[in-house]
Coordinates of all heavy atoms in Angstrom, one line a residue:
M188 N 0.7 6.8 3.4 CA 0.8 5.5 4.2 C 1.9 5.6 5.2 O 1.9 5.2 6.3 CB 0.8 4.3 3.4 CG -0.4 4.0 2.6 SD -0.4 2.4 1.9 CE -1.2 1.5 3.1
L189 N 3.1 6.1 4.7 CA 4.1 6.4 5.6 C 3.8 7.2 6.8 O 3.9 6.7 8.0 CB 5.3 7.1 5.0 CG 5.9 6.4 3.7 CD1 7.0 7.2 3.1 CD2 6.6 5.1 4.3
A190 N 3.2 8.4 6.7 CA 3.0 9.1 7.8 C 1.7 8.8 8.7 O 1.8 8.8 9.7 CB 2.8 10.7 7.3
T191 N 0.7 8.4 7.9 CA -0.6 8.0 8.5 C -0.4 6.8 9.5 O -0.9 6.7 10.5 CB -1.7 7.8 7.5 OG1 -1.7 9.1 6.8 CG2 -3.1 7.6 8.3
L192 N 0.2 5.8 8.9 CA 0.3 4.5 9.6 C 1.6 4.4 10.3 O 1.9 3.4 11.1 CB 0.1 3.3 8.6 CG -1.2 3.3 8.0 CD1 -1.2 2.1 7.1 CD2 -2.4 3.1 9.1
G193 N 2.6 5.4 10.1 CA 3.9 5.3 10.8 C 4.8 4.1 10.2 O 5.6 3.6 11.0
L194 N 4.8 3.9 8.9 CA 5.4 2.9 8.2 C 6.9 3.2 8.0 O 7.1 4.4 7.6 CB 4.8 2.3 7.0 CG 3.3 1.7 7.1 CD1 2.9 1.3 5.8 CD2 3.2 0.8 8.2
R195 N 7.7 2.4 8.0 CA 9.1 2.5 7.4 C 9.0 2.5 5.8 O 8.1 1.8 5.4 CB 10.1 1.5 7.8 CG 10.4 1.4 9.3 CD 11.3 0.3 9.7 NE 11.6 0.4 11.1 CZ 11.0 -0.2 12.0 NH1 9.9 -0.8 11.7 NH2 11.4 -0.2 13.3
V196 N 9.9 3.1 5.2 CA 9.8 3.0 3.6 C 9.9 1.6 3.2 O 9.1 1.2 2.3 CB 11.1 3.9 3.1 CG1 11.1 3.6 1.5 CG2 10.9 5.4 3.5
S197 N 10.7 0.7 3.7 CA 10.7 -0.6 3.3 C 9.5 -1.4 3.6 O 9.1 -2.2 2.8 CB 11.9 -1.4 4.2 OG 11.7 -1.4 5.5
E198 N 8.7 -1.0 4.6 CA 7.5 -1.7 4.9 C 6.4 -1.2 3.8 O 5.6 -2.0 3.4 CB 6.9 -1.3 6.2 CG 7.8 -1.9 7.5 CD 7.5 -1.3 8.8 OE1 6.7 -0.2 8.9 OE2 7.8 -2.0 9.8
A199 N 6.5 0.1 3.6 CA 5.5 0.6 2.5 C 5.7 0.1 1.1 O 4.7 -0.3 0.5 CB 5.5 2.1 2.6
T200 N 7.0 0.1 0.8 CA 7.3 -0.5 -0.6 C 7.1 -2.1 -0.7 O 7.0 -2.4 -1.9 CB 8.7 -0.2 -1.0 OG1 9.6 -0.6 -0.1 CG2 8.9 1.6 -1.1
A201 N 7.0 -2.6 0.4 CA 6.8 -4.2 0.2 C 5.3 -4.6 0.2 O 4.9 -5.7 0.1 CB 7.5 -4.8 1.5
L202 N 4.3 -3.6 0.3 CA 3.0 -3.8 0.4 C 2.5 -4.3 -1.0 O 2.8 -3.9 -2.0 CB 2.2 -2.6 0.9 CG 2.4 -2.2 2.2 CD1 1.6 -0.9 2.5 CD2 1.9 -3.2 3.2
N203 N 1.5 -5.3 -0.9 CA 0.8 -5.7 -2.1 C -0.7 -5.7 -1.9 O -1.1 -5.5 -0.7 CB 1.3 -7.3 -2.4 CG 2.7 -7.2 -3.1 OD1 3.0 -6.5 -4.1 ND2 3.5 -8.1 -2.5
L204 N -1.4 -6.0 -2.8 CA -2.9 -5.9 -2.7 C -3.4 -6.9 -1.7 O -4.3 -6.5 -0.8 CB -3.6 -6.3 -3.9 CG -5.1 -6.0 -4.1 CD1 -5.4 -4.5 -3.6 CD2 -5.6 -6.2 -5.4
P205 N -3.0 -8.2 -1.6 CA -3.5 -9.0 -0.5 C -3.2 -8.7 0.9 O -3.8 -9.1 1.8 CB -2.6 -10.4 -0.8 CG -2.2 -10.3 -2.2 CD -2.0 -8.9 -2.5
D206 N -2.3 -7.7 1.1 CA -2.1 -7.1 2.3 C -3.2 -6.3 2.9 O -3.3 -6.0 4.1 CB -0.8 -6.2 2.4 CG 0.5 -7.2 2.1 OD1 0.5 -8.4 2.5 OD2 1.4 -6.7 1.5
L207 N -4.0 -5.8 2.0 CA -5.2 -5.0 2.3 C -6.4 -6.1 2.7 O -6.7 -6.9 2.0 CB -5.7 -4.2 1.3 CG -5.0 -2.8 1.0 CD1 -5.6 -2.2 -0.3 CD2 -5.0 -2.0 2.2
Q208 N -6.8 -6.1 4.0 CA -7.8 -7.0 4.3 C -8.9 -6.3 5.1 O -9.0 -5.1 5.4 CB -7.1 -8.0 5.4 CG -5.9 -8.7 4.6 CD -5.3 -9.7 5.6 OE1 -5.6 -9.9 6.7 NE2 -4.3 -10.4 4.9
H209 N -10.0 -7.1 5.4 CA -11.2 -6.7 6.1 C -11.1 -7.6 7.4 O -10.9 -8.8 7.3 CB -12.5 -6.9 5.4 CG -12.6 -6.0 4.3 ND1 -13.2 -4.9 4.4 CD2 -12.3 -6.2 3.0 CE1 -13.2 -4.3 3.3 NE2 -12.7 -5.1 2.4
N210 N -11.2 -6.9 8.5 CA -11.3 -7.5 9.9 C -12.4 -6.9 10.7 O -12.2 -5.7 11.0 CB -9.9 -7.4 10.6 CG -9.8 -8.2 11.7 OD1 -10.8 -8.8 12.2 ND2 -8.6 -8.3 12.4
A211 N -13.4 -7.6 11.0 CA -14.5 -7.1 11.8 C -15.1 -6.1 11.2 O -15.5 -5.1 11.9 CB -14.1 -7.0 13.1
G212 N -15.3 -6.0 9.9 CA -15.8 -4.9 9.1 C -15.0 -3.7 8.9 O -15.5 -2.6 8.4
H213 N -13.8 -3.7 9.2 CA -12.8 -2.6 9.1 C -11.8 -2.9 8.1 O -11.3 -4.1 8.0 CB -12.3 -2.1 10.4 CG -13.4 -1.7 11.4 ND1 -13.9 -0.5 11.4 CD2 -14.0 -2.4 12.5 CE1 -14.8 -0.4 12.3 NE2 -14.8 -1.6 13.1
R214 N -11.2 -2.0 7.4 CA -10.1 -2.4 6.5 C -8.9 -2.2 7.3 O -8.8 -1.3 8.1 CB -10.0 -1.2 5.4 CG -11.2 -1.0 4.4 CD -11.2 -2.3 3.4 NE -10.3 -2.1 2.2 CZ -10.5 -1.3 1.3 NH1 -11.4 -0.3 1.3 NH2 -9.8 -1.5 0.2
T215 N -8.0 -3.3 7.2 CA -6.7 -3.3 7.8 C -5.7 -3.5 6.7 O -5.9 -3.9 5.6 CB -6.7 -4.4 8.9 OG1 -6.9 -5.7 8.1 CG2 -7.7 -4.2 9.9
V216 N -4.4 -3.4 7.2 CA -3.3 -3.7 6.3 C -2.2 -4.6 7.1 O -2.0 -4.2 8.4 CB -2.7 -2.3 5.7 CG1 -1.9 -1.5 6.8 CG2 -1.6 -2.7 4.6
V217 N -1.7 -5.6 6.5 CA -0.7 -6.4 7.2 C 0.6 -5.9 6.8 O 1.0 -5.8 5.6 CB -1.0 -7.9 6.7 CG1 0.2 -8.8 7.4 CG2 -2.3 -8.3 7.2
I218 N 1.4 -5.6 7.7 CA 2.8 -5.1 7.6 C 3.8 -6.1 8.1 O 3.6 -6.6 9.1 CB 2.9 -3.8 8.5 CG1 1.8 -2.7 8.2 CG2 4.3 -3.3 8.4 CD1 1.8 -2.2 6.8
R219 N 4.7 -6.2 7.3 CA 5.9 -7.1 7.6 C 6.9 -6.2 7.8 O 7.6 -5.6 6.9 CB 6.2 -8.2 6.4 CG 5.1 -9.3 6.4 CD 5.2 -9.9 5.1 NE 3.8 -10.7 5.0 CZ 2.7 -10.1 4.6 NH1 2.6 -8.9 4.5 NH2 1.7 -11.0 4.5
G220 N 7.6 -6.3 9.2 CA 8.6 -5.3 9.5 C 9.9 -6.0 9.8 O 10.1 -7.0 9.3
K221 N 10.7 -5.2 10.4 CA 12.1 -5.6 10.8 C 12.0 -7.0 11.5 O 11.2 -7.1 12.5 CB 12.8 -4.6 11.7 CG 13.2 -3.4 10.8 CD 13.6 -2.3 11.8 CE 15.1 -2.4 11.8 NZ 15.7 -1.3 12.7
G222 N 12.9 -7.8 11.4 CA 13.0 -9.0 12.1 C 11.8 -10.0 11.7 O 11.6 -10.9 12.5
G223 N 11.2 -9.8 10.6 CA 10.0 -10.7 10.2 C 8.7 -10.5 11.1 O 7.8 -11.3 11.1
R224 N 8.7 -9.4 11.9 CA 7.6 -9.2 12.7 C 6.3 -8.7 11.8 O 6.5 -7.9 11.0 CB 7.9 -8.1 13.7 CG 6.8 -7.8 14.7 CD 7.2 -6.8 15.7 NE 7.2 -5.5 15.0 CZ 7.3 -4.3 15.6 NH1 7.4 -4.3 16.9 NH2 7.3 -3.2 14.9
V225 N 5.3 -9.4 12.0 CA 4.0 -9.1 11.3 C 3.0 -8.5 12.2 O 2.9 -9.0 13.3 CB 3.4 -10.5 10.8 CG1 2.3 -10.1 10.0 CG2 4.5 -11.0 9.8
R226 N 2.5 -7.3 11.7 CA 1.4 -6.7 12.6 C 0.3 -6.2 11.6 O 0.5 -6.0 10.4 CB 2.0 -5.6 13.3 CG 2.5 -4.4 12.5 CD 3.3 -3.4 13.5 NE 3.5 -2.2 12.9 CZ 4.5 -1.8 12.2 NH1 5.4 -2.7 12.0 NH2 4.7 -0.6 11.6
E227 N -0.9 -6.1 12.2 CA -2.1 -5.7 11.3 C -2.6 -4.4 11.8 O -2.8 -4.2 13.1 CB -3.2 -6.7 11.4 CG -4.5 -6.5 10.5 CD -5.4 -7.6 10.6 OE1 -5.2 -8.5 11.3 OE2 -6.4 -7.6 9.8
L228 N -2.7 -3.3 11.1 CA -3.0 -2.0 11.5 C -4.3 -1.7 10.8 O -4.6 -1.9 9.7 CB -1.9 -1.0 10.9 CG -0.5 -1.3 11.5 CD1 0.5 -0.2 10.8 CD2 -0.4 -1.1 13.1
P229 N -5.0 -0.8 11.5 CA -6.3 -0.3 11.0 C -6.1 0.8 9.9 O -5.1 1.5 10.1 CB -7.2 0.2 12.2 CG -6.1 0.5 13.1 CD -5.0 -0.6 13.0
V230 N -6.8 0.7 8.8 CA -6.6 1.9 7.8 C -7.6 3.0 8.1 O -8.8 2.6 8.1 CB -6.8 1.3 6.4 CG1 -6.5 2.3 5.4 CG2 -5.7 0.0 6.1
P231 N -7.1 4.1 8.2 CA -8.0 5.2 8.4 C -8.8 5.6 7.2 O -8.4 5.3 6.1 CB -7.1 6.5 8.8 CG -5.7 5.8 9.1 CD -5.8 4.5 8.4
A232 N -10.0 6.1 7.5 CA -11.0 6.5 6.5 C -10.4 7.2 5.1 O -10.8 6.9 4.1 CB -12.2 7.1 7.1
V233 N -9.7 8.1 5.6 CA -9.0 9.0 4.5 C -8.1 8.1 3.5 O -8.1 8.2 2.3 CB -8.3 10.3 5.0 CG1 -7.0 9.8 5.7 CG2 -8.0 11.2 3.8
L234 N -7.4 7.2 4.1 CA -6.6 6.3 3.4 C -7.4 5.2 2.5 O -7.1 4.8 1.5 CB -5.5 5.5 4.2 CG -4.3 6.0 4.4 CD1 -3.3 5.4 5.3 CD2 -3.5 6.1 3.0
V235 N -8.6 4.7 3.1 CA -9.4 3.9 2.4 C -9.9 4.5 1.2 O -9.9 3.9 0.1 CB -10.6 3.4 3.4 CG1 -11.6 2.7 2.6 CG2 -10.1 2.6 4.4
R236 N -10.3 5.8 1.3 CA -10.9 6.4 0.0 C -9.7 6.6 -1.1 O -10.0 6.3 -2.3 CB -11.4 7.8 0.5 CG -12.7 7.7 1.2 CD -13.4 9.1 1.3 NE -12.6 10.0 2.1 CZ -12.6 10.1 3.4 NH1 -13.5 9.3 4.1 NH2 -11.9 11.0 4.0
L237 N -8.6 7.0 -0.6 CA -7.5 7.1 -1.5 C -7.1 5.7 -2.3 O -6.9 5.7 -3.4 CB -6.2 7.7 -0.9 CG -6.3 9.2 -0.5 CD1 -5.2 9.5 0.4 CD2 -6.6 10.1 -1.7
L238 N -7.1 4.7 -1.4 CA -6.8 3.3 -1.9 C -7.9 3.0 -2.9 O -7.5 2.2 -4.0 CB -6.6 2.4 -0.8 CG -5.2 2.5 0.0 CD1 -5.3 1.7 1.2 CD2 -4.1 2.2 -0.9
D239 N -9.2 3.2 -2.5 CA -10.3 2.8 -3.4 C -10.1 3.4 -4.8 O -10.7 2.8 -5.8 CB -11.6 3.0 -2.6 CG -12.0 2.1 -1.6 OD1 -11.4 1.0 -1.5 OD2 -12.7 2.5 -0.7
D240 N -9.6 4.7 -4.8 CA -9.5 5.3 -6.1 C -8.2 4.8 -6.8 O -8.2 4.5 -8.0 CB -9.2 6.8 -5.9 CG -10.5 7.5 -5.5 OD1 -11.5 6.9 -5.6 OD2 -10.3 8.5 -4.9
H241 N -7.1 4.4 -6.1 CA -5.7 4.0 -6.7 C -5.9 2.5 -7.3 O -5.4 2.4 -8.3 CB -4.7 4.1 -5.7 CG -3.4 3.6 -6.1 ND1 -2.6 4.3 -7.0 CD2 -2.7 2.5 -5.8 CE1 -1.5 3.7 -7.2 NE2 -1.5 2.6 -6.4
V242 N -6.4 1.6 -6.5 CA -6.4 0.1 -6.9 C -7.0 -0.1 -8.1 O -6.5 -0.7 -9.0 CB -6.9 -0.7 -5.7 CG1 -7.2 -2.0 -6.2 CG2 -5.9 -0.5 -4.4
P243 N -8.2 0.4 -8.4 CA -8.8 0.0 -9.8 C -8.1 0.5 -11.0 O -7.9 -0.1 -11.9 CB -10.3 0.8 -9.8 CG -10.4 0.8 -8.3 CD -9.1 1.1 -7.6
A244 N -7.3 1.7 -10.8 CA -6.7 2.3 -11.9 C -5.3 1.5 -12.1 O -4.9 1.2 -13.1 CB -6.2 3.6 -11.5
Q245 N -4.8 0.9 -11.0 CA -3.5 -0.1 -11.1 C -4.0 -1.3 -11.7 O -3.2 -2.0 -12.5 CB -3.0 -0.2 -9.8 CG -2.3 1.0 -9.2 CD -1.1 1.4 -10.0 OE1 -0.4 0.6 -10.4 NE2 -1.0 2.7 -10.5
R246 N -5.1 -1.8 -11.3 CA -5.7 -3.1 -11.8 C -5.9 -3.0 -13.4 O -5.5 -4.0 -14.1 CB -6.9 -3.5 -11.2 CG -7.4 -4.8 -11.7 CD -8.6 -5.4 -10.7 NE -7.9 -5.9 -9.5 CZ -8.5 -5.7 -8.4 NH1 -9.6 -5.3 -8.2 NH2 -8.0 -6.1 -7.2
Q247 N -6.2 -1.9 -14.0 CA -6.3 -1.8 -15.3 C -5.1 -1.8 -16.1 O -5.0 -2.3 -17.2 CB -7.1 -0.5 -15.6 CG -8.7 -0.5 -15.4 CD -9.3 0.9 -15.7 OE1 -8.7 1.9 -16.0 NE2 -10.6 0.8 -15.4
Q248 N -4.1 -1.2 -15.5 CA -2.7 -1.2 -16.1 C -2.1 -2.5 -16.1 O -1.4 -3.0 -17.0 CB -1.9 -0.2 -15.4 CG -2.4 1.3 -15.6 CD -1.3 2.2 -14.8 OE1 -0.4 1.8 -14.3 NE2 -1.8 3.5 -14.8
N249 N -2.2 -3.3 -14.9 CA -1.6 -4.6 -14.8 C -2.3 -5.4 -14.0 O -2.2 -5.4 -12.8 CB -0.2 -4.3 -14.2 CG 0.5 -5.8 -14.3 OD1 0.0 -6.7 -14.6 ND2 1.8 -5.7 -13.8
P250 N -3.4 -6.2 -14.6 CA -4.3 -7.0 -13.7 C -3.7 -8.2 -12.9 O -4.3 -8.7 -12.0 CB -5.3 -7.5 -14.9 CG -4.6 -7.5 -16.0 CD -3.6 -6.3 -15.9
R251 N -2.4 -8.5 -13.3 CA -1.8 -9.7 -12.5 C -1.2 -9.3 -11.3 O -1.0 -10.1 -10.5 CB -0.9 -10.3 -13.4 CG -1.5 -11.0 -14.7 CD -0.5 -11.8 -15.5 NE -1.2 -12.3 -16.7 CZ -0.7 -13.2 -17.3 NH1 0.5 -13.9 -16.9 NH2 -1.3 -13.8 -18.3
S252 N -0.5 -8.1 -11.2 CA 0.2 -7.7 -10.1 C 0.0 -6.2 -9.7 O 0.2 -5.5 -10.6 CB 1.6 -8.0 -10.2 OG 2.6 -7.6 -9.2
I253 N -0.5 -6.0 -8.5 CA -0.9 -4.7 -8.2 C 0.0 -4.3 -7.0 O 0.0 -5.0 -6.0 CB -2.2 -4.5 -7.8 CG1 -3.2 -4.8 -9.1 CG2 -2.6 -3.1 -7.2 CD1 -4.6 -4.7 -8.8
R254 N 0.9 -3.3 -7.1 CA 1.7 -2.9 -6.0 C 0.9 -1.7 -5.4 O 0.3 -0.9 -6.2 CB 3.0 -2.4 -6.4 CG 3.9 -3.4 -7.0 CD 4.3 -4.6 -6.3 NE 5.2 -3.9 -5.4 CZ 5.9 -4.6 -4.3 NH1 5.7 -6.0 -4.2 NH2 6.9 -4.1 -3.6
L255 N 1.1 -1.5 -4.1 CA 0.3 -0.5 -3.6 C 1.1 0.9 -3.5 O 0.7 1.9 -3.2 CB 0.0 -0.7 -2.0 CG -1.0 -2.0 -1.9 CD1 -1.4 -2.1 -0.5 CD2 -2.4 -1.4 -2.6
H256 N 2.4 0.8 -3.9 CA 3.3 1.9 -3.9 C 3.5 2.4 -5.3 O 3.5 1.6 -6.2 CB 4.6 1.7 -3.0 CG 5.4 0.6 -3.8 ND1 6.3 0.9 -4.8 CD2 5.5 -0.7 -3.6 CE1 7.0 -0.1 -5.2 NE2 6.4 -1.0 -4.5
A257 N 3.9 3.6 -5.5 CA 4.3 4.1 -6.8 C 5.8 3.9 -7.1 O 6.5 3.7 -6.1 CB 4.1 5.6 -6.8
A258 N 6.1 3.6 -8.2 CA 7.5 3.4 -8.6 C 8.5 4.5 -8.4 O 7.9 5.6 -8.4 CB 7.6 2.9 -10.2
R259 N 9.5 4.2 -7.8 CA 10.5 5.4 -7.5 C 11.1 5.9 -8.7 O 11.5 5.1 -9.6 CB 11.6 4.9 -6.6 CG 12.5 6.0 -6.0 CD 13.6 5.3 -5.2 NE 12.9 5.0 -3.9 CZ 13.6 4.7 -2.9 NH1 14.9 4.5 -2.9 NH2 12.9 4.5 -1.8
M260 N 11.0 7.3 -8.8 CA 11.6 7.8 -10.0 C 13.0 8.6 -9.7 O 13.2 9.0 -8.7 CB 10.6 9.0 -10.5 CG 9.4 8.5 -11.0 SD 8.3 9.7 -11.9 CE 8.6 11.2 -11.2
S261 N 13.7 8.4 -10.7 CA 15.0 9.1 -10.5 C 14.9 10.6 -10.9 O 13.9 11.0 -11.7 CB 16.1 8.4 -11.4 OG 15.8 8.7 -12.7
V262 N 16.0 11.3 -10.5 CA 15.8 12.8 -10.9 C 16.0 12.8 -12.4 O 15.4 13.7 -13.1 CB 17.1 13.6 -10.3 CG1 17.2 15.0 -10.8 CG2 16.8 13.6 -8.6
A263 N 16.7 12.1 -13.0 CA 16.9 12.1 -14.4 C 15.6 12.0 -15.3 O 15.4 12.4 -16.3 CB 18.0 11.0 -15.0
A264 N 14.8 11.1 -14.7 CA 13.4 11.0 -15.3 C 12.6 12.1 -15.3 O 11.6 12.2 -16.1 CB 12.7 9.7 -14.6
L265 N 12.8 13.0 -14.5 CA 12.0 14.3 -14.3 C 12.6 15.4 -15.2 O 11.9 16.3 -15.5 CB 12.0 14.9 -12.9 CG 11.3 13.7 -11.8 CD1 11.7 14.4 -10.5 CD2 10.0 13.5 -12.2
E266 N 13.8 15.2 -15.7 CA 14.4 16.2 -16.7 C 13.7 16.2 -18.0 O 13.4 15.1 -18.5 CB 15.9 16.2 -16.7 CG 16.5 16.4 -15.2 CD 17.9 16.1 -15.3 OE1 18.5 15.5 -16.3 OE2 18.6 16.4 -14.3
P267 N 13.6 17.3 -18.6 CA 13.0 17.3 -20.0 C 13.9 16.8 -21.0 O 15.0 16.6 -20.9 CB 12.8 19.0 -20.3 CG 13.4 19.6 -19.2 CD 13.8 18.6 -18.1

């Protein structure tokens, strides 16, 4: 999402499921940026497919709150 939509890291990590919307038959995402600026961007088809795979898996793990980003891991978490 960072590269495809040109988001800042803070914008991407703040996304939640309600930020994914449908507008005129197209998937969009609502971004809250610097200075409280809100914009709605179209989601490219490749991202729609990835999100459609990701969201149901996240919903099974935690049905109450779905974050669109993965948790940040520390280097220590990767060590054996």
Side-chain angles (χ1 to χ4, degrees):
M188 293 189 84
L189 294 171
T191 305
L192 296 176
L194 302 183
R195 294 178 176 91
V196 171
S197 60
E198 294 170 337
T200 58
L202 292 174
N203 288 306
L204 191 59
D206 296 325
L207 285 177
Q208 300 181 356
H209 290 274
N210 188 351
H213 299 282
R214 294 289 275 294
T215 62
V216 63
V217 175
I218 306 298
R219 286 159 195 76
K221 289 173 91 174
R224 188 176 70 167
V225 177
R226 64 189 197 271
E227 187 174 4
L228 300 173
V230 179
V233 67
L234 263 175
V235 169
R236 286 190 299 272
L237 292 171
L238 288 168
D239 286 346
D240 291 342
H241 176 73
V242 170
Q245 291 297 309
R246 184 168 282 146
Q247 287 177 354
Q248 290 177 5
N249 187 358
R251 293 182 183 204
S252 174
I253 298 174
R254 301 290 294 184
L255 293 179
H256 65 87
R259 184 176 289 186
M260 294 190 327
S261 67
V262 174
L265 298 174
E266 295 174 357

